Amino acid sequence: MATALKVNGKAVTCQSDVDTPLLWVLRDELGLTGTKFGCGAALCGACTVHVDGVPVRSCQTPIAGVADKNVSTVESLSSGEGQILQKAWVTHDVPQCGYCQSGQLMSAAALLANNKHPSDTDIDNAMSGNLCRCGTYSRIKAAIKTAAAEMRQSS
């Protein structure tokens, strides 16, 4: 059965079984490999994408659950505010092993889409559940604050 959805602004039709996790449809059927497999149990956040602007764990989201919805992956952050966030990530040397980066970026992007003045508590709450094997949590927080400040200046 075909499932229609919009991924990164483009209408697509997926042929995978309706119970196939969104993660595998994105990676295997659509070739969008930026979204990573981590734990497979929605515990680590590596597979985070946005569905209608809300961060979700794609490893546990069946494709049927996103039919006719807008899905955004880390590839969607290549312009605009996403680029600002990526630049802040590099400025603060956030990336280490790369395991968590796409999920971290997507959670941070969701936060900043709704809150350009996040407090430490806002950041902690938005980023909880995104695990970083390398322990760069303080750099992640600093990068989010830097990106938020730049986004405020550019608006």
Side-chain angles (χ1 to χ4, degrees):
M1 179 174 173
T3 304
L5 61 148
K6 191 178 276 189
V7 178
N8 297 334
K10 297 167 95 175
V12 298
T13 302
C14 303
Q15 301 303 319
S16 297
D17 291 336
V18 294
D19 61 346
T20 302
L22 174 60
L23 171 67
W24 301 117
V25 171
L26 293 170
R27 291 182 61 80
D28 296 342
E29 190 171 335
L30 302 178
L32 296 170
T33 58
T35 303
K36 304 300 182 196
F37 174 77
C39 66
L43 300 172
C44 71
C47 68
T48 302
V49 299
H50 299 172
V51 176
D52 289 340
V54 177
V56 300
R57 306 300 198 243
S58 64
C59 71
Q60 292 291 306
T61 302
I63 192 67
V66 298
D68 300 318
K69 295 188 178 182
N70 295 304
V71 175
S72 299
T73 68
V74 70
E75 287 89 352
S76 72
L77 299 181
S78 64
S79 62
E81 290 187 345
Q83 262 186 336
I84 292 171
L85 186 57
Q86 288 178 349
K87 180 181 168 194
W89 233 244
V90 171
T91 298
H92 289 278
D93 294 320
V94 173
Q96 294 290 303
C97 76
Y99 161 80
C100 69
Q101 294 310 297
S102 61
Q104 297 279 5
L105 283 162
M106 293 304 289
S107 291
L111 168 65
L112 295 176
N114 297 308
N115 183 353
K116 299 289 193 276
H117 295 274
S119 67
D120 285 348
T121 301
D122 295 333
I123 294 169
D124 291 342
N125 289 338
M127 303 306 290
S128 73
N130 285 82
L131 302 180
C132 176
R133 291 176 177 174
C134 302
T136 64
Y137 298 111
S138 61
R139 288 186 263 176
I140 290 167
K141 187 179 287 186
I144 291 170
K145 289 179 178 184
T146 295
E150 188 168 333
M151 289 175 189
R152 289 191 303 269
Q153 289 177 348
S154 67
S155 26

